[in-house]
Amino acid sequence: VCENNPELAVVFIGSLMTLVFGVLNLIVAVVLDNFADNRQKDVESRAFDMELHEVEEKKALSKIFHRIDEDGNGALSYEELQKGAQRVPAFRHWLRVMDI
């Protein structure tokens, strides 16, 4: 067909290019969709890990606060916090991490 009507080569090449770019666009869309799904799962996993880590940190701080509470009333005074910072190394480290 192209030998008898060379101008039809433009139509065939245009059709072929459209088909190739369409298939490539479809492949890219599938790959990007998979990446988006994996990223969403990773965000959920990181959020779960952060929540788990937060619970562990709260337990550790609770133990430290019980050690600092001298009178055992369940509340910490400013003086108890100051003495605890001097007396309990773990509490001092927490304060250092929080830049206090």
Side-chain angles (χ1 to χ4, degrees):
V1 174
C2 290
E3 291 176 3
N4 294 337
N5 297 321
E7 62 275 358
L8 289 179
V10 173
V11 173
F12 288 128
I13 291 174
S15 299
L16 182 63
M17 295 292 283
T18 302
L19 182 65
V20 167
F21 284 122
V23 170
L24 286 176
N25 192 17
L26 183 63
I27 292 170
V28 169
V30 169
V31 169
L32 287 178
D33 190 43
N34 285 336
F35 280 137
D37 287 343
N38 289 338
R39 183 174 186 272
Q40 181 64 30
K41 289 176 185 174
D42 185 50
V43 168
E44 290 171 1
S45 173
R46 287 179 56 202
F48 178 75
D49 290 342
M50 288 176 69
E51 289 174 8
L52 185 63
H53 189 66
E54 180 183 351
V55 168
E56 292 172 359
E57 287 178 343
K58 286 180 180 179
K59 286 179 183 178
L61 279 174
S62 178
K63 288 179 183 178
I64 291 171
F65 290 151
H66 284 294
R67 288 177 53 194
I68 293 173
D69 189 12
E70 293 176 346
D71 56 8
N73 66 352
L76 295 174
S77 66
Y78 183 71
E79 291 79 22
E80 287 175 327
L81 285 174
Q82 284 181 324
K83 289 178 186 177
Q86 295 170 355
R87 183 170 54 101
V88 180
F91 185 54
R92 194 170 37 251
H93 295 305
W94 276 96
L95 293 174
R96 184 89 166 146
V97 167
M98 292 186 289
D99 201 23
I100 297 176

